[in-house]
C-alpha cells in the first residue's frame, strides 16, 4: 500500500539553504567551522543562518507559544500557527526553514545528544500545521515519517564529538553515533519529511591541534561542495506499507533483527 504523494505546503526556494548552528563560544572549533562552512556553501546556495546563541533564541516552550489557550499542546500550537498567532521569533525561524531546500544542522555532542537550545528550537519551531498535521486518508493518522510538511528537503548533520571513532562506533562504549542521533535524523527530521545525508562527524574535537583544525575545515568544505552528488533520505516511509497494520516493522522484513538499522530503506541507493 502506497499513499498518494503529499502536496508540499511549503515549497522551498531553489538554491536556498539554512545553516542552523548551536554553540555558545566565539573562537571555538565550532565557530571556525561555522564561518568556513557557510562561506563555502555560499558558493552554491543563498545561505540563511540561525545562530541560536547569538540570536538569544529562547528554547523554552511556554505561554507565549500557546496564544492564551489551554488544552492539548499539539492542538494549541497548531491553532496558533493557522491563526498567525505564534511569537515573532518562531515565525521568523519557520520562514527561513520553509525557504530552504537544504538544512545544515551544526552542534557539539553534549551528554550524547544535541544541546538544549537546539532541542528547544525543534520544540518551538516544528509546530503542528507547519511541520506536520495533514491526515492520511488511508492510514487515518497524520502524514509523517517521510511525508511531513517539509517533505523533499535534505539535511546535513555536522557534529563535533570529544571521543574517537572507536568509542562512538558500532561496538563502542558510548554507543554508535548514528544510533545516538537517530531521534534527530529519524524522529525529528524524517518525521517531518526531511531526508538526512550521512552524518558529518568531527572526532576528537577537544584535542585537535592547528593541523587537525585545518584538516577538518578542508574536509567539511570539500563535503559541502560535493553534497549535491550524494543521496539523502534513507529511511522507510510510513505510507509505503512496511508498518501496515501495526506501528512496528512487519515481521517478514529483517526477521529477528531489532537494531535501528531495520528502519533504513532498501529502495534508496
Amino acid at each position: 500500500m502506497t499513499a498518494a504523494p503529499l502536496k508540499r505546503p511549503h515549497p522551498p526556494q531553489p538554491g536556498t539553504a539554512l545553516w542552523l548552528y548551536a554553540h555558545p563560544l566565539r573562537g571555538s572549533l565550532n565557530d571556525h567551522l561555522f564561518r568556513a562552512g557557510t562561506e563555502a556553501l555560499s558558493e552554491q546556495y543563498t545561505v540563511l543562518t540561525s545562530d541560536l546563541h547569538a540570536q538569544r533564541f529562547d528554547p523554552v516552550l511556554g505561554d507565549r507559544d500557546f496564544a492564551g489557550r489551554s488544552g492539548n499542546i499539539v492542538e494549541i500550537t497548531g491553532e496558533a500557527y493557522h491563526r498567525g498567532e505564534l511569537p515573532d521569533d518562531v515565525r521568523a525561524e519557520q520562514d527561513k526553514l520553509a525557504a530552504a531546500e537544504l538544512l545544515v544542522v551544526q552542534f557539539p555532542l553534549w551528554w550524547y545528544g544535541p544541546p538544549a537550545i537546539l532541542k528547544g528550537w525543534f520544540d518551538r519551531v516544528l509546530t503542528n500545521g507547519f511541520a506536520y498535521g495533514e491526515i492520511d486518508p488511508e492510514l487515518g493518522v497524520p502524514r509523517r515519517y517521510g511525508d511531513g510538511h517539509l517533505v523533499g528537503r535534505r539535511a546535513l548533520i555536522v557534529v563535533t564529538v570529544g571521543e574517537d571513532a572507536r568509542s562512538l562506533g558500532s561496538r563502542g562504549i558510548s554507543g554508535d553515533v548514528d544510533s545516538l542521533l537517530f531521534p534527530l535524523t529519524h524522529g525529528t527530521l524524517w518525521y517531518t519529511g526531511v531526508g538526512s545525508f550521512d552524518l558529518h562527524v568531527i572526532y576528537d574535537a577537544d584535542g585537535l591541534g592547528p593541523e587537525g583544525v585545518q584538516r577538518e575545515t578542508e574536509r567539511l568544505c570539500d563535503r559541502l561542495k560535493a553534497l549535491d552528488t550524494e543521496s539523502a533520505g534513507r529511511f522507510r516511509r510510513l505510507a509505503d506499507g512496511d508498518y501496515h497494520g501495526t506501528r512496528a516493522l512487519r515481521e517478514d522484513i529483517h526477521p529477528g533483527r531489532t537494531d535501528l538499522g531495520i528502519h533504513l530503506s532498501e529502495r534508496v541507493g
Side-chain angles (χ1 to χ4, degrees), residues 85-99:
E85 297 173 345
L86 290 175
D88 290 343
D89 61 341
V90 171
R91 294 170 63 184
E93 296 302 308
Q94 289 181 340
D95 287 345
K96 286 188 282 187
L97 181 54

Side-chain angles (χ1 to χ4, degrees), residues 219-263:
R219 185 169 71 91
L220 175 59
C221 291
D222 288 345
R223 176 93 188 268
L224 292 168
K225 292 174 182 178
L227 199 59
D228 287 342
T229 66
E230 297 185 27
S231 297
R234 300 177 299 118
F235 292 114
R236 300 176 186 274
R237 294 171 66 241
L238 176 63
D240 285 340
D242 293 344
Y243 305 88
H244 183 55
T246 176
R247 297 301 168 80
L249 190 64
R250 293 196 333 249
E251 291 294 337
D252 61 302
I253 302 175
H254 296 311
R257 283 181 54 183
T258 58
D259 59 284
L260 296 177
I262 64 176
H263 302 292

Side-chain angles (χ1 to χ4, degrees), residues 131-171:
Y132 64 95
E134 180 178 329
I135 300 298
D136 185 311
E138 294 185 17
L139 299 177
V141 296
R143 301 294 292 257
R144 53 188 176 180
Y145 294 116
D147 288 319
H149 286 181
L150 302 178
V151 66
R153 288 166 174 80
R154 305 162 301 150
L156 176 67
I157 309 301
V158 178
V159 57
T160 58
V161 302
E163 296 177 89
D164 61 24
R166 295 168 299 174
S167 300
L168 288 165
S170 60
R171 292 172 58 85

Side-chain angles (χ1 to χ4, degrees), residues 101-143:
E101 65 173 354
L102 172 65
L103 174 65
V104 180
V105 186
Q106 181 193 349
F107 59 92
L109 193 72
W110 286 351
W111 292 112
Y112 302 100
I117 197 169
L118 181 57
K119 176 59 166 63
W121 188 91
F122 291 121
D123 289 345
R124 296 189 63 210
V125 173
L126 300 185
T127 64
N128 178 24
F130 170 73
Y132 64 95
E134 180 178 329
I135 300 298
D136 185 311
E138 294 185 17
L139 299 177
V141 296
R143 301 294 292 257

Side-chain angles (χ1 to χ4, degrees), residues 52-83:
L52 300 185
H53 286 279
Q55 294 173 200
R56 298 185 180 276
F57 181 81
D58 188 344
V60 180
L61 186 69
D63 291 342
R64 66 195 182 288
D65 299 285
F66 307 146
R69 295 180 174 83
S70 60
N72 181 282
I73 288 179
V74 171
E75 295 177 357
I76 293 169
T77 53
E79 291 174 3
Y81 169 74
H82 287 298
R83 293 173 179 268

Side-chain angles (χ1 to χ4, degrees), residues 32-33 36-37 40 200 202 210-226:
H32 179 75
L33 294 174
H200 190 91
I202 295 92
E211 291 184 359
V213 171
Q214 181 63 27
R215 181 183 66 250
E216 292 299 337
T217 301
E218 292 177 357
R219 185 169 71 91
L220 175 59
C221 291
D222 288 345
R223 176 93 188 268
L224 292 168
K225 292 174 182 178

